[in-house]
Amino acid sequence: MSYVEVPGAKVPIRMWTDPASVEGVALQQLQNVATLPWIKGLAVMPDVHYGKGATVGSVIAMRDAVCPAAVGVDIGCGMSAVRTSLTANDLPGDLSRLRSKIEQAIPVGRGMHDDPVDPGRLHGFATAGWDDFWERFGGVAEAVRFRRERAAKQMGSLGSGNHFVEVCTDTDGAVWLMLHSGSRNIGKELAEHHIGVAQKLPHNQGLVDRDLAVFVADTPQMAAYRNDLFWAQEYAKYNRTIMMALLKDVVRKEFKKAKATFEPEISCHHNYVAEERYDGMDLLVTRKGAIRAGSGEYGIIPGSMGTGSYIVKGLGNEKAFNSASHGAGRRMSRNAAKRRFSTKDLEEQTRGVECRKDSGVVDEIPGAYKPIEQVIDQQRDLVHVVAKLKQVVCVKG
């Protein structure tokens, strides 16, 4: 489908989904965003749903301003995927050992490494800039500087919620490695700190929603936020790169005879800010639950833990600010999913996938998400599908 345009106070709201299918509270959030004085455009992805301040699945372009809540609290959250030389025929019938080895190598949930991972010991990891990255931590918000030791030990760990590590096969039988994670707790703490700062600024006192507080250009508060934001985005990218290196090491050891090799990584943020130019204006574009999909750029759009995922190439649609959805998107809250589904439902909906099937992950059941095929179909003018993946192993946080 192409987009549907809904009137907004300052800008039209371009929606790559049927507005009637969007929950009322999310529609109200979109209307609230469209009232912001600094806004220059708003694009809504087919996986849109309610979030804090701004919806998940929205792309917001502003001039000389940025809204921290429009980035999301897990700054830099995103995906990485790698096609391997392995095929489905190389995989054993029982994948429980492989899942166990992945869980041993990559801490999940609130877990962290006993000692910080030494990237110099990781096969193929580019260590250039690593020391400089950590030195810049001394310049982030004072409120979180004491978290450095924990942040170092969490680097290379998965986290919880909808984060995952997967082994997948595509329709040609090739094996892929894929993972989803962000800036762990340090990014969340930085985001919440700056949202609190923004809410107290005078220019934000008349907003329809205090969670939409913004920083404006040429102020010390904006400079401090941008510094911390870009550091956290880099943390998230390093985090995924280290996890992927750890995951590759597991695969190398478990498939020694096959001598697995790996193609270049595909990596994309879906909670971040970018400086981009549209209609002759330099804008700050926030993608919250959305990926960049510039012409020819690779992206990753995952489904849920029992469905498929897609590797895509962007079509460079400027009406959507060169963006696409970040996944299937939830169609019900976590609490609603826990009320509606049982562990038996989870077992049925994840049949054929080596994964957790206990009450702790019922809120991540496929039935709690929108159908990924429908979400992909709604953005045919945003991306071209390169590969369709189906997970055989899924490690959840």
Side-chain angles (χ1 to χ4, degrees), residues 7 156 224 237 265 304 322 332 360 384:
K237 190 170 184 179
E265 289 182 27
S304 62
N322 293 317
M332 66 180 71
H384 164 71

Side-chain angles (χ1 to χ4, degrees), residues 82 117-127 240-253 259-263 265:
V82 172
V117 175
D118 179 0
R121 295 185 178 182
L122 297 176
H123 190 281
F125 186 90
T127 57
R240 289 193 295 274
T241 304
I242 287 178
M243 278 193 287
M244 187 60 78
L246 294 170
L247 180 57
K248 288 177 182 177
D249 281 347
V250 170
V251 171
R252 287 189 188 95
K253 291 173 184 176
K259 297 181 179 178
T261 59
F262 308 93
E263 294 188 0
E265 289 182 27

Side-chain angles (χ1 to χ4, degrees), residues 340-366:
R340 178 168 176 177
F341 296 109
S342 66
T343 53
K344 184 178 179 181
D345 295 322
L346 180 63
E347 290 172 6
E348 291 176 355
Q349 294 184 28
T350 59
R351 187 174 289 116
V353 181
E354 174 59 44
C355 64
R356 286 178 60 188
K357 300 177 192 284
D358 58 80
S359 60
V361 291
V362 166
D363 56 344
E364 281 294 301
I365 193 170

Side-chain angles (χ1 to χ4, degrees), residues 172-371:
D172 295 325
V175 172
W176 289 69
L177 308 179
M178 187 165 66
L179 57 85
H180 171 210
S181 191
S183 51
R184 300 296 280 108
N185 202 60
I186 193 67
K188 176 178 179 290
E189 290 189 336
L190 284 168
E192 291 176 343
H193 166 75
H194 285 288
I195 289 172
V197 171
Q199 287 175 339
K200 297 174 184 176
L201 297 174
H203 62 261
N204 290 318
Q205 299 313 303
L207 300 179
V208 293
D209 182 350
R210 67 191 302 267
D211 284 333
L212 291 177
V214 308
F215 293 116
V216 295
D218 301 321
T219 63
Q221 293 88 355
M222 170 71 105
Y225 176 62
R226 284 167 62 98
N227 175 77
D228 294 1
L229 169 78
F230 293 134
W231 185 89
Q233 288 179 185
E234 196 171 352
Y235 180 103
K237 190 170 184 179
Y238 271 131
N239 186 40
R240 289 193 295 274
T241 304
I242 287 178
M243 278 193 287
M244 187 60 78
L246 294 170
L247 180 57
K248 288 177 182 177
D249 281 347
V250 170
V251 171
R252 287 189 188 95
K253 291 173 184 176
E254 292 299 300
F255 299 92
K256 286 181 181 179
K257 290 183 179 179
K259 297 181 179 178
T261 59
F262 308 93
E263 294 188 0
E265 289 182 27
I266 299 168
S267 182
C268 56
H269 290 318
H270 53 229
N271 278 14
Y272 77 113
V273 177
E275 299 169 344
E276 297 176 3
R277 189 170 180 83
Y278 296 95
D279 297 327
M281 290 185 289
D282 292 322
L283 302 175
L284 287 168
V285 179
T286 57
R287 295 184 175 93
K288 180 179 181 179
I291 61 171
R292 181 171 164 84
S295 181
E297 295 177 351
Y298 280 99
I300 308 164
I301 304 178
S304 62
M305 63 188 287
T307 58
S309 296
Y310 289 83
I311 306 297
V312 299
K313 269 189 178 180
L315 297 176
N317 190 328
E318 293 203 357
K319 294 292 186 181
F321 299 101
N322 293 317
S323 304
S325 80
H326 83 311
R330 298 191 72 93
R331 65 179 181 181
M332 66 180 71
S333 70
R334 295 185 181 280
N335 287 334
K338 289 175 182 177
R339 289 193 299 269
R340 178 168 176 177
F341 296 109
S342 66
T343 53
K344 184 178 179 181
D345 295 322
L346 180 63
E347 290 172 6
E348 291 176 355
Q349 294 184 28
T350 59
R351 187 174 289 116
V353 181
E354 174 59 44
C355 64
R356 286 178 60 188
K357 300 177 192 284
D358 58 80
S359 60
V361 291
V362 166
D363 56 344
E364 281 294 301
I365 193 170
Y369 285 83
K370 298 176 184 179

